[in-house]
Amino acid sequence: MTKLLEWLTVSAVLSLIWAALVTDSLSFQVSDQIKDVLMPITILQSLTYISPYTTINNDNVTAANDRIRVTAYLPIDCLRCKYAVDILVRTCYSLASVGYGVMTFNDCIEAHNSLKMEVSEAIDDLKKKGLTM
Amino acid sequence: ATGVDRFVGAGMIGFSLIVFIYYTLWVIVMPFIDKDLAIQQFFLPRAYAVLIPIVAGVVLLLILSKKASYMDIHLS
């Protein structure tokens, strides 16, 4: 199996599991908080009163509420949430790797100092021979 | 890597660590914490967990495209 096929299979399996959990397709109840972590919420949904997250007591979440919640998930909003997380994680990793590279950069101070001395020696030598810099 | 370089590098690593840990707590841990605990006031509503990275990404793209268009004008 090629690497591309490997990646596609794994991502397809994970996406299927995610979609099954998010759309309540399995026979067990997925709690509100776990769905919140899976991040399928739309930005608008979290701001409106329809969302069950804003109900006062979660024991009275009825089947009607569940249906409202499921139909409000749009694929583009799920992708938006996942892209935001992806962007932020990759940015953090890039910043940290750049910082680590800056910290562990091999400065070679002795070579730098000896080079400076050699440059000044060369300038003096050339001055003696008549070339001014 | 001496002096200011080490400090800047450590600052970058520390900043990205803080941002990553805060974001992880925000997205993964906050839903499981009761609404009336005091710790909730340190975290914005979770809609911003999506908005802020996307807005930052858009601003970054705008800046980069502005710089790229600058270079084209210079070359011609």
Side-chain angles (χ1 to χ4, degrees), chain A residues 33-34 36-37 39 41 43 46 80-81 84-85 87-89 92 95-96 98-100 102-107 109, chain B residues 1-2 5-10 12-13 15-16 19-20 23 27-29 31-32 35 46-47 49-51 53-54 57:
Chain A
Q33 292 118 337
I34 293 181
D36 212 358
V37 170
M39 292 207 78
I41 53 172
I43 295 169
S46 61
R80 244 181 254 152
C81 298
V85 171
I87 288 169
L88 193 123
V89 170
C92 281
L95 194 63
V98 167
Y100 181 71
V102 167
M103 271 187 77
T104 55
F105 192 74
N106 188 13
D107 267 348
I109 303 172
Chain B
T2 54
D5 283 351
R6 282 192 73 95
F7 184 69
V8 168
M12 284 206 259
I13 292 180
F15 176 72
S16 65
V19 166
F20 179 72
Y23 197 75
V27 170
I28 295 183
V29 174
F32 296 99
K35 278 296 171 187
R46 284 180 81 250
V50 176
L51 270 175
I54 288 185

Side-chain angles (χ1 to χ4, degrees), chain A:
Chain A
M1 197 188 253
T2 62
K3 273 292 169 190
L4 172 67
L5 275 181
E6 263 181 35
W7 277 84
L8 283 178
T9 340
V10 169
S11 66
V13 166
L14 290 177
S15 311
L16 277 176
I17 296 174
W18 173 82
L21 285 175
V22 156
T23 55
D24 290 327
S25 322
L26 301 175
S27 52
F28 58 87
Q29 194 78 7
V30 183
S31 74
D32 288 351
Q33 292 118 337
I34 293 181
K35 278 201 193 151
D36 212 358
V37 170
L38 293 174
M39 292 207 78
I41 53 172
T42 69
I43 295 169
L44 205 59
Q45 190 186 14
S46 61
L47 296 173
T48 61
Y49 74 98
I50 297 175
S51 165
Y53 307 139
T54 59
T55 57
I56 297 170
N57 40 351
N58 279 325
D59 317 325
N60 293 342
V61 171
T62 61
N65 268 353
D66 277 338
R67 253 181 269 128
I68 290 171
R69 229 164 113 223
V70 168
T71 54
Y73 295 150
L74 298 171
I76 188 64
D77 295 311
C78 310
L79 283 178
R80 244 181 254 152
C81 298
K82 290 211 273 190
Y83 284 155
V85 171
D86 191 44
I87 288 169
L88 193 123
V89 170
R90 283 176 200 280
T91 312
C92 281
Y93 173 73
S94 328
L95 194 63
S97 70
V98 167
Y100 181 71
V102 167
M103 271 187 77
T104 55
F105 192 74
N106 188 13
D107 267 348
C108 25
I109 303 172
E110 314 93 37
H112 170 67
N113 289 338
S114 77
L115 187 65
K116 269 205 296 197
M117 275 181 51
E118 284 178 17
V119 167
S120 63
E121 278 177 28
I123 291 177
D124 293 338
D125 198 27
L126 288 171
K127 246 189 235 170
K128 266 188 257 168
K129 300 203 174 134
L131 181 74
T132 51
M133 296 189 74

Side-chain angles (χ1 to χ4, degrees), chain B residues 14-56:
Chain B
F15 176 72
S16 65
L17 252 182
I18 289 174
V19 166
F20 179 72
I21 289 174
Y22 180 83
Y23 197 75
T24 309
L25 281 177
W26 197 8
V27 170
I28 295 183
V29 174
M30 275 301 122
F32 296 99
I33 294 182
D34 300 328
K35 278 296 171 187
D36 45 2
L37 285 180
I39 209 165
Q40 288 278 357
Q41 69 194 11
F42 294 110
F43 294 93
L44 293 168
R46 284 180 81 250
Y48 290 102
V50 176
L51 270 175
I52 291 177
I54 288 185
V55 165

